[in-house]
Amino acid sequence: MTAFLAGAFALLFAATLFAPGVRAAPRPLRSDDGSLLGVVDSVHTSILTVVGYPPSEASPRPGAKRRRLIGTAIALSDRSILTSASIAIPGGSVRVLLKGGIERPAVLLGIDRASNIALFQVEGATLRPLAPAPPQSLAIGAWVAVISNVAVTRPQAALGQIVGRGERMDYARSGEILEIDAPSYPGSTGGAVLNEEGDWVAVVVGRAVPSPSDETSRVGLNRGDDPVPDPSSVLIALPVDQVAWMTKELETYGSVRRGYLGVQLRRATGAASDSLGVLIAGVVPGSPADSAGIRAGDRVLAIEGEEAHTADALTTKVRAIRPGDQIELTVLRGTEIFPLHVIVGAAFVQPPVGPRPTVSPDVGRMKQEIQRLEQEKQRLEEQIRGLEGAPQR
């Protein structure tokens, strides 16, 4: 423990130790006093400073400083970065700060405010991406390092431990949410979480405050980065496997699609709220629920074996499921109880934003495919005419 703390405290005052050039592979956190410094030194060029500016004021005061938000971003490729959704101020602009005082504009590709992540494309710079570790489940008590950067050349490192795994209370998700007991520096949100081997395993999405009514790992989300956080709070982070599919959604659609069944649920009140299951008041024609055979008047008793009591709880569970996954609903119809399997559809809870970099290439490929099919159609028609006009034997 002393070795860990020595490395962590030394890092905060050792910006001069970071030198440009090729970095060695990350070293384990647990080998020696300087191991944490070695790990950060090998990844710090992939952990960047970003600045979000609000829309320019129509008539700013002379000499007034422009308001801004400073945060941390992780380079995912040579052109793209992942950061906190709070940096993406509506109508504002974002710039990435690089060494030597260089600034580069960043264009928003997609955002998911429910999970507090945003994907940007950086113009005029070649970034060094941070390679994610293979999907893994970190054990409670495992040591991790949280690396953030709000000062360009002075990354901050906080040593912490995994204290919980579970789901957030404010928005359920498919997969784990990691709860990390570690100091929360300003700009921690958007930072990288490294395991004891120095591998990138998660991204910080906020600070969690345990629910007073629930002592399990379900937590609420505070997306702020106050200089002096609540001492009882912990950081929450999305594991890299979730980051991978969510950033793919952001890149392709500009938002993250949520699970969709296509049913109208009746929200019971009073004594009716104690009735069995959740009542299906209507089914959208052609929806996943319609295709699976769900009917108006059915009652959903359970989803994936977990009892369903309220419409809000059922909606939250469905939205947390990845589109395309198959789920089992336990349904009551009349006096009969039986399972129904549904392929979950996709819907946008938030409208897509940002330019779609894949649209133009996709349209071009589609047009080329149409031309090819037209040519193939003409060739086949000519063959048919030839066969029809051939003399009969």
Side-chain angles (χ1 to χ4, degrees), residues 346-366:
F348 291 108
V349 177
Q350 300 170 251
V353 298
R356 304 273 52 77
T358 57
V359 168
S360 296
D362 287 347
V363 171
R365 284 193 294 268
M366 290 177 184

Side-chain angles (χ1 to χ4, degrees), residues 54-65:
S56 299
E57 300 178 2
S59 38
R61 300 189 307 273
K65 291 185 178 180

Side-chain angles (χ1 to χ4, degrees), residues 35-261:
S35 60
L36 182 57
L37 288 173
V39 169
V40 178
D41 193 35
S42 65
V43 302
H44 83 282
T45 53
S46 303
I47 301 174
L48 309 169
T49 305
V50 287
V51 182
Y53 295 97
S56 299
E57 300 178 2
S59 38
R61 300 189 307 273
K65 291 185 178 180
R66 189 178 178 187
R67 294 175 298 168
R68 61 182 184 173
L69 288 177
I70 302 178
T72 299
I74 298 172
L76 299 182
S77 71
D78 59 351
R79 295 288 302 279
S80 64
I81 60 172
L82 184 73
T83 186
S84 167
S86 60
I87 294 295
I89 304 171
S93 61
V94 173
R95 301 187 71 84
V96 178
L97 307 184
L98 306 174
K99 284 184 175 296
I102 299 174
E103 292 189 17
R104 291 291 181 263
V107 178
L108 181 65
L109 297 181
I111 188 170
D112 183 54
R113 295 196 184 276
S115 295
N116 196 29
I117 61 172
L119 181 68
F120 286 87
Q121 179 174 291
V122 181
E123 300 178 347
T126 301
L127 308 176
R128 180 180 177 182
L130 186 61
Q136 55 188 271
S137 180
L138 295 176
I140 302 296
W143 288 101
V144 293
V146 179
I147 315 298
S148 58
N149 188 356
V150 292
V152 186
T153 58
R154 298 184 60 189
Q156 296 170 311
L159 192 66
Q161 281 187 299
I162 303 295
V163 295
R165 300 198 309 261
E167 60 182 9
R168 291 202 322 241
M169 235 176 140
D170 63 318
Y171 203 93
R173 294 221 44 80
S174 53
E176 284 186 337
I177 294 294
L178 300 178
E179 302 172 24
I180 304 170
D181 183 10
S184 176
Y185 296 107
S188 293
T189 302
V193 180
L194 310 181
N195 65 8
E196 292 186 82
E197 303 300 328
D199 300 321
W200 175 38
V201 294
V203 58
V204 177
V205 294
R207 191 164 56 250
V209 179
S211 170
S213 60
D214 191 350
E215 296 180 356
T216 66
S217 61
R218 295 171 59 88
V219 293
L221 176 63
N222 177 0
R223 296 184 179 88
D225 274 310
D226 299 331
V228 183
D230 186 326
S232 65
S233 69
V234 295
L235 300 177
I236 58 176
L238 293 177
V240 291
D241 57 332
Q242 291 191 55
V243 172
W245 78 265
M246 292 180 71
T247 52
K248 185 64 176 177
E249 291 275 305
L250 296 178
E251 182 180 11
T252 305
Y253 304 107
S255 183
V256 175
R257 299 173 301 166
R258 307 296 181 186
Y260 165 75
L261 290 185

